[in-house]
Amino acid sequence: MGATEVVVVSGLGEVREVVTTAAAALGHRAVVCEPEAVADRWHAGGTVFIGVDSAAEVAALELPRRDRVYLVGADSGAAALWSVPLGAEVILLPQGRAWLSSVLTGPSDGSGELLAVLGGSGGVGASTVAAALAWRASERGRSVALVDLDRAGGGIDLLLGGEREPGWRWPRFAAADGVLGDVREFLPVIDGVTVLSTARGTDLEVGRESVTAVLGSLQRCFDLVLLDPGRGWSPAGREALRLAGRTLLLVGGCVRGVAAGAQTVRAFGPPAAEVVVRRLPGVRVPDDAIEDSLGLPVVARLRHDPSLVVAAERGERPGLSRRRGGLGRVCDQLLAAS
């Protein structure tokens, strides 16, 4: 990330000092302004940091939603109260100092692509699509890593039938921070794809600093890194979406599925997401209606295939059908745009 303008809105000395110092260290220009003046810089600022003391005043301006907005301060109650109205991530001080620097650092300078597959609702098969994309890309000769960040998903290694494969899972990276070296030798490889999975039997919450550090390492080592952030709205999942260069939103092709997808968009706000519609038997919502509801383009439709569910239950590799709307053909279509 090149030098950008960083906007700071706060009367708290600690917030101003932390943000401006971190920005200066990374070569960014920090601009401190009053709440009433932030509207003029709302779209110009590369990143906006709002102190919890100024949150109410900024929220009262009813500015349009944008990404890269952060609430900063030591008052967790106030941060929780105003994060939703502002559409902002929360950085609590002092423990959030390291993540604040990671936010300003931006994505790794590695050449690999970070591609997230986000489920618009439960049960649409986001993990299956992420795994299929990983396998298809590997077959095409690209080096691929598949990263699971869904704490409640049971571990994507189980979906792939690789739960007994030796190697590290996320708990081993819980303390990761800063710039990591090559971590490939520690991770299991399943059918040619390097996999970093959550672990069963532990309720570890992966920190945002760890996600930034590990994804930075993987991006430097692989051509493509597939991300399965889950739908638990965890800090780790949100950080993965923030870093992703491209996000695919998988939506069920029914009215309820589209409504759930719209809620997911409001909750996560993934920038520049593309919609993949999972067809359901006997139901078809027109693409233009889906695009109007979500404000995002439909780029592919995946046909209903009961065999995918069976394969997932057995921990078997899903069939990559080349039929129209088949998983293999859709993967080829999506990867061609990468």
Side-chain angles (χ1 to χ4, degrees), residues 47-129:
T47 310
V48 177
F49 295 94
I50 304 170
V52 292
D53 62 304
S54 300
E57 293 175 82
V58 176
L61 298 175
E62 297 184 344
L63 298 168
R65 291 295 181 101
R66 52 154 290 172
D67 62 346
R68 299 188 66 78
V69 177
Y70 299 88
L71 264 176
V72 187
D75 187 340
S76 59
L81 176 65
W82 293 108
S83 63
V84 174
L86 290 169
E89 297 281 356
V90 173
I91 301 178
L92 290 178
L93 299 178
Q95 61 267 37
R97 286 173 178 260
W99 186 54
L100 189 149
S101 295
S102 296
V103 165
L104 289 172
T105 301
S108 163
D109 59 1
S111 59
E113 179 185 7
L114 296 181
L115 172 58
V117 182
L118 176 64
S121 62
V124 291
S127 297
T128 297
V129 171

Side-chain angles (χ1 to χ4, degrees), residues 140-198:
R140 288 180 164 193
R142 300 174 72 179
S143 58
V144 184
L146 176 61
V147 181
D148 168 26
L149 288 156
D150 187 358
R151 287 174 63 192
I156 206 167
D157 56 349
L158 188 64
L159 172 68
L160 306 181
E163 66 273 14
R164 297 184 184 278
E165 290 292 328
W168 289 13
R169 271 62 176 175
W170 265 113
R172 296 295 296 269
F173 292 103
D177 195 3
V179 179
L180 298 183
D182 189 345
V183 300
R184 286 176 292 184
E185 64 177 299
F186 305 109
L187 299 175
V189 178
I190 304 171
D191 287 345
V193 174
T194 298
V195 178
L196 176 53
S197 178
T198 56

